[in-house]
């Protein structure tokens, strides 16, 4: 949007006045900025902290009570012995297994035929002798290093004060002895196991044939000698190291003050003895158990009767021979199919009519150049707006 010429004349003085006002404000701001150049006064420093006063003597700790002596436990009465268990009846002896028949002797394995000897390998030609390796040249001797200065001796550590001895602890009371356990009854002996029958001896294997000796391996040829290496140049001598200055001695440490001795603990009064426990009443004796009756002997099993032999089955009769199948009659030949008639030929399509020619387009008129349009885009068309007064 373009501004009319009359508004342009009004806007120019307004912009000038705003620029002048901004310059005046900037000058006053810079004048007041000089007043703030003085820094604030520093904060007062903290007062020097006084050393803490030394602690006075601490009060003694209260006396620690000692462990009281345990009272003696009453002795339990001895328990009566358990009655002995009756002996179990012995198992009847089992019948021995019948002796197994001896295995038949195996036939002796025949020896393998001897292999024919392999032909000897031809000898390899000897390698040429290697030349002798030359000796390395001697290395130059290292220069002597200057001696290091000795460190100053460390001061001796101060001796610490000796600690007070611990008070003696009271002795523990003796515990009452435990009653002995009652003796267990003897275990009955188990029946002896029958001996197993002796196993038959294992037959010895036939001796294997000895292996043939391998031919001797030929010796390796000697390696050729290495060529001589060029001599190494000597290293230049290193400069001597300067001596370090002597280290000053450390200041001696002040000795620690002696600590006051700890007071002894006061003795604790003894506790009164516990009243004695009454004895338990005696238990009545257990009645004897009746003896178990012996098991009755089992009766011998009767012998089973032998099974009768199965009757032989009759042989199966042979099947009769099947009759021969009759020959089938031959099938008649199919009649030949009639030949198909030829299809009628397709008629030709009619030719399309020719399209009429289109009329030629008229030529476009030449467009004017951009400079000729003064009323649309340029700034020179302000003459037409001068007559519009608002």
């Amino acid at each position: 949007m373009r501004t009319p010429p009359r508004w342009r004349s009004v806007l120019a003085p307004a912009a000038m006045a705003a620029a002048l006002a901004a310059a005046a404000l900037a000058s006053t701001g810079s004048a007041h900025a000089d007043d703030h150049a003085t820094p604030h006064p520093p904060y007062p420093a903290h007062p020097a902290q006084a050393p803490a006063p030394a602690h006075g003597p601490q009060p003694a700790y209260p006396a620690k009570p000692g462990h009281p002596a345990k009272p003696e436990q009453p002795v339990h009465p001895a328990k009566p012995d358990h009655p002995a268990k009756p002996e179990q009846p012995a198992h009847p002896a089992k019948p021995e297994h019948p002796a197994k028949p001896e295995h038949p002797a195996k036939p002796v394995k025949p020896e393998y035929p001897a292999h024919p000897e392999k032909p000897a390998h031809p000898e390899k030609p000897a390698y040429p002798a290697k030349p002798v390796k030359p000796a390395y040249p001697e290395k130059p001797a290292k220069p002597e290093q200057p001696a290091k200065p000795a460190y100053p001796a460390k001061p001796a550590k101060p001796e610490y004060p000796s600690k007070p001895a611990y008070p003696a602890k009271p002795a523990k009371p003796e515990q009452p002895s435990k009653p002995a356990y009652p003796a267990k009854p003897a275990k009955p002996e188990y029946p002896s196991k029958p001996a197993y029958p002796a196993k038959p001896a294992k037959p010895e294997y036939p001796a294997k044939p000895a292996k043939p000796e391998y031919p001797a391996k030929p010796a390796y040829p000697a390696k050729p000698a290495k060529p001589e290496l060029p001599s190494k140049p000597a290293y230049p001598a290193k400069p001597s190291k300067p001596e370090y200055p002597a280290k000053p001695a450390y200041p001696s440490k002040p000795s620690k003050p002696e600590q006051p001795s700890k007071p002894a603990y006061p003795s604790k009064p003894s506790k009164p003895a516990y009243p004695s426990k009454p004895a338990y009443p005696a238990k009545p004796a257990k009645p004897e158990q009746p003896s178990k009756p012996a098991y009755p002997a089992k009766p011998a099993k009767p012998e089973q009767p032998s099974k009768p032999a199965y009757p032989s089955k009759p042989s199966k009769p042979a099947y009769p021979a099947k009759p021969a199948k009759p020959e089938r009659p031959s099938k008649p030949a199919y009649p030949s199919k009639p030949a198909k008639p030829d299809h009628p030929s397709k008629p030709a399509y009619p030719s399309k009519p020719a399209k009429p020619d289109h009329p030629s387009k008229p030529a476009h008129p030449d467009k004017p150049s951009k400079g000729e349009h003064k009323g649309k885009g340029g700034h020179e068309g302000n003459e037409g707006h001068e007559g519009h007064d608002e």
Side-chain angles (χ1 to χ4, degrees):
M1 179 181 175
R2 289 179 298 172
T3 54
R6 188 169 291 181
W7 277 103
R8 286 179 192 172
S9 60
V10 175
L11 284 173
M16 200 73 164
L20 288 171
L25 285 171
S27 64
T28 54
S30 62
H32 283 292
D34 297 338
D35 297 340
H36 297 287
T38 55
H40 291 285
Y43 288 101
H46 291 284
Q49 292 182 356
H55 291 288
Q58 297 291 332
Y61 285 100
K64 196 173 181 182
H67 291 283
K70 288 186 178 178
E72 291 185 359
Q73 299 290 338
V75 181
H76 288 278
K79 295 180 181 178
D81 295 338
H82 287 279
K85 288 185 180 178
E87 292 184 359
Q88 299 288 338
H91 288 278
K94 291 181 182 178
E96 293 183 357
H97 291 280
K100 284 184 180 177
E102 292 183 1
H103 289 280
K106 290 182 181 178
V108 182
K109 196 174 183 182
E111 292 183 359
Y112 288 102
H115 290 280
E117 291 184 0
K118 284 184 180 179
H121 291 282
E123 291 184 358
K124 279 184 179 178
Y127 284 98
K130 290 184 178 180
V132 183
K133 192 176 182 181
Y136 286 103
E138 292 183 359
K139 290 183 179 179
K142 280 188 178 178
E144 290 184 0
Q145 300 289 340
K148 254 186 180 178
Y151 286 100
K154 286 185 179 178
K157 287 184 179 179
E159 292 184 359
Y160 289 99
S162 60
K163 288 183 180 178
Y166 285 101
K169 292 181 180 178
K172 283 186 178 179
E174 291 183 0
Q175 299 289 339
S177 60
K178 214 172 184 183
Y181 285 101
K184 289 182 180 178
K187 220 174 186 181
E189 291 183 359
Y190 289 101
S192 60
K193 210 172 184 182
Y196 285 101
K199 288 183 181 178
K202 202 173 183 182
E204 292 181 359
Y205 287 100
K208 289 181 181 178
K211 279 186 178 179
E213 290 182 0
Y214 289 102
K217 207 171 183 183
Y220 285 101
K223 289 182 180 178
K226 277 188 177 178
E228 290 185 1
L229 296 176
S231 61
K232 208 173 185 182
Y235 287 103
K238 288 184 179 177
S240 61
K241 204 174 184 183
E243 292 184 359
Y244 287 101
K247 204 173 186 182
Y250 288 103
S252 61
K253 203 173 184 182
S255 60
K256 286 188 178 179
E258 291 185 1
Q259 293 180 355
S261 60
K262 210 172 186 182
Y265 291 105
S267 60
K268 197 177 180 185
S270 60
K271 281 193 174 181
Y274 286 99
S276 60
K277 209 172 183 182
Y280 286 101
K283 288 183 181 178
K286 279 187 179 179
E288 291 184 0
Q289 301 289 337
S291 60
K292 210 172 185 182
Y295 288 101
K298 287 183 181 178
K301 278 187 178 179
E303 290 183 1
Q304 300 288 339
S306 58
K307 240 179 183 181
Y310 286 101
S312 58
K313 291 182 180 179
S315 59
K316 209 172 185 182
Y319 288 102
K322 287 182 179 179
K325 281 185 178 180
E327 291 183 358
R328 293 181 183 276
S330 59
K331 255 183 179 179
Y334 285 101
S336 59
K337 290 181 180 179
K340 279 186 178 179
D342 293 333
H343 289 283
S345 59
K346 221 173 185 181
Y349 286 100
S351 59
K352 290 181 180 179
K355 282 186 178 179
D357 293 333
H358 289 282
S360 61
K361 270 185 176 180
H364 286 283
D366 295 333
K367 291 182 180 179
S369 62
K370 288 184 179 179
E372 296 178 3
H373 297 278
K374 293 179 181 179
K376 286 186 179 180
H379 297 284
E380 298 171 359
N382 296 331
E383 290 80 5
H385 298 281
E386 289 180 358
H388 299 283
D389 294 336
E390 292 181 3

